[in-house]
Amino acid sequence: MLSRTADHLFWMARYTERAENTARMLDVHVQTGLLPQSVEHAEQGWRAILGISELQSEFDLKYDALTQKDVIDFMVRDPGNPSSIASCLKQARENARAVRGALTTEAWEIQNATWLKLESYLKTDALEQNPTDFFDWVKHRSHLSRGVTIGTMLIDEAFHFIRLGTFLERSDNTARIIDVKFHEATQKQQRKSQLQSQSQSQGGEELAEESENPIDFYYWAALLRSVSGFEIYRRVYRDIITPARVAELLILRADMPRSLLGCMGQVVENLDKIGNDASADTERFAGRLHADLRFNQIQNILDDGLHVFLTLFLKRIFELGNRISKDFLVPLAD
């Protein structure tokens, strides 16, 4: 397969997956915004959205203050934001259009119809009136794209490049969500500990049970829902939601579709199908990353530091993407 054709298929899949991931994050924050919380805590949640995508500085250049409305507009409509839903779906459609001959008619029509519908959608006030409906629509179109790909395309190199792009993007996004959310939870716990210490020093005990606040349940449940993991968690653990188990599910469960191990298993499998004489080192690199997840334990990761582990994982995923581009695709500009 020509490298440019592979490049378009790979990035078509990545942009489609990125749009879905952005919709998932925004939807969860809209839902959790309905919970009782301080203005400061709500703002921190929206800043976390920008932090996950590394877009805080770009947002601050365009807006004087941070509001839910402006963050949603920036992450959905803004053509100047390369990670906005509109930008991602446009790029997915353009990449698909460039290689229509490598796609089935159904696969192309899904990408084209999604972009055309999005254009008309954003000309109305539907997003402002019911953002959850809009985010559900974006997720549904991404699911439809994957389903049509699996159900209509020949399982050849084109198929494997699409799958490779999907799971590489998904693993990157899941790692970012875990890192930001656990960092946010750590800060929250530190604030609780400080308040408890102050209360005890003043002879008060009213904060002693704050760690059992039911708001914590909704926080972790929201994180799980952002990766379609809430029902899976209940099925696997059948118990209360704890941070360690959430981390284990999203990092080390091979049977969890959006876990890091699950995604890397798919990356390794699809790399193996398209391997060539120049890609042996890249396949070994991906294999080592997969093995580090497969043979790890969550307690070891937590003892060494979750943030350290995820930071290293994101660096290795970035390097893997560059290696794949060098070996198979149009190399990224330096």
Side-chain angles (χ1 to χ4, degrees):
M1 175 177 287
L2 293 176
S3 61
R4 185 162 296 278
T5 300
D7 188 81
H8 284 304
L9 294 168
F10 177 83
W11 283 103
M12 177 195 76
R14 290 202 70 163
Y15 280 122
T16 301
E17 181 70 22
R18 191 174 299 176
E20 179 187 348
N21 292 330
T22 300
R24 285 175 175 276
M25 291 187 295
L26 291 172
D27 188 29
V28 166
H29 275 72
V30 167
Q31 298 294 328
T32 55
L34 302 175
L35 295 172
Q37 57 185 309
S38 66
V39 174
E40 178 186 5
H41 187 265
E43 181 177 318
Q44 287 175 346
W46 289 107
R47 287 197 180 278
I49 285 280
L50 298 170
I52 289 171
S53 304
E54 300 182 359
L55 292 169
Q56 182 68 63
S57 58
E58 287 82 351
F59 179 89
D60 290 340
L61 288 174
K62 298 195 67 170
Y63 298 93
D64 296 328
L66 187 147
T67 65
Q68 174 177 315
K69 179 181 180 300
D70 287 340
V71 173
I72 291 177
D73 192 70
F74 180 69
M75 296 300 293
V76 173
R77 284 193 171 95
D78 196 333
N81 172 11
S83 293
S84 71
I85 290 174
S87 294
C88 287
L89 292 182
K90 180 180 180 181
Q91 288 299 319
R93 189 256 187 184
E94 290 304 306
N95 278 283
R97 185 173 62 86
V99 288
R100 286 183 61 177
L103 299 170
T104 59
T105 300
E106 293 91 340
W108 155 247
E109 287 179 347
I110 289 296
Q111 295 291 342
N112 191 45
T114 297
W115 169 244
L116 294 175
K117 176 62 177 177
L118 178 70
E119 283 190 308
S120 62
Y121 216 134
L122 296 182
K123 290 177 182 177
T124 70
D125 63 350
L127 175 61
E128 289 74 18
Q129 293 297 321
N130 196 333
T132 293
D133 279 356
F134 172 77
F135 298 137
D136 283 343
W137 176 81
V138 174
K139 289 185 283 184
H140 173 74
R141 299 303 295 187
S142 179
H143 298 166
L144 194 58
S145 176
R146 279 197 303 276
V148 167
T149 298
I150 294 171
T152 68
M153 287 192 62
L154 184 67
I155 303 179
D156 59 0
E157 285 188 328
F159 177 89
H160 293 303
F161 277 112
I162 291 172
R163 299 291 283 172
L164 184 60
T166 295
F167 287 105
L168 198 66
E169 180 67 31
R170 185 178 295 179
S171 63
D172 179 272
N173 185 261
T174 297
R176 290 177 186 276
I177 289 176
I178 299 170
D179 192 23
V180 170
K181 288 302 185 181
F182 271 80
H183 179 66
E184 186 180 338
T186 300
Q187 291 181 322
K188 181 180 177 182
Q189 188 59 44
Q190 289 173 346
R191 289 195 297 270
K192 283 184 179 181
S193 299
Q194 291 173 356
L195 289 172
Q196 288 174 350
S197 298
Q198 292 173 4
S199 175
Q200 292 171 0
S201 66
Q202 297 169 4
E205 297 181 357
E206 64 275 10
L207 295 175
E209 300 299 322
E210 190 176 0
S211 61
E212 302 299 326
N213 192 323
I215 294 298
D216 290 344
F217 167 83
Y218 293 104
Y219 179 89
W220 294 113
L223 170 57
L224 289 169
R225 287 192 175 97
S226 71
V227 291
S228 294
F230 182 75
E231 294 176 352
I232 294 175
Y233 183 98
R234 287 304 197 196
R235 181 173 297 181
V236 171
Y237 296 105
R238 301 179 183 275
D239 204 346
I240 61 173
I241 299 177
T242 67
R245 286 175 176 171
V246 171
E248 181 180 55
L249 181 72
L250 301 186
I251 296 174
L252 300 181
R253 289 286 305 201
D255 50 359
M256 166 62 180
R258 291 182 172 272
S259 73
L260 301 189
L261 180 54
C263 291
M264 282 308 304
Q266 290 291 327
V267 168
V268 169
E269 180 179 330
N270 284 282
L271 262 178
D272 180 64
K273 301 294 185 182
I274 59 174
N276 58 35
D277 294 339
S279 66
D281 284 344
T282 297
E283 293 177 61
R284 280 192 289 270
F285 184 87
R288 286 194 298 271
L289 182 50
H290 178 248
D292 287 347
L293 292 166
R294 182 183 175 190
F295 298 108
N296 214 329
Q297 293 181 315
I298 192 60
Q299 195 56 52
N300 293 336
I301 293 174
L302 296 176
D303 289 344
D304 294 339
L306 183 62
H307 176 68
V308 172
F309 174 84
L310 292 170
T311 299
L312 178 59
F313 178 85
L314 285 168
K315 289 181 179 178
R316 295 172 75 183
I317 280 291
F318 180 76
E319 182 177 350
L320 178 57
N322 286 339
R323 286 170 175 260
I324 290 171
S325 293
K326 179 181 178 181
D327 292 344
F328 302 103
L329 312 176
V330 177
L332 298 174
D334 293 331

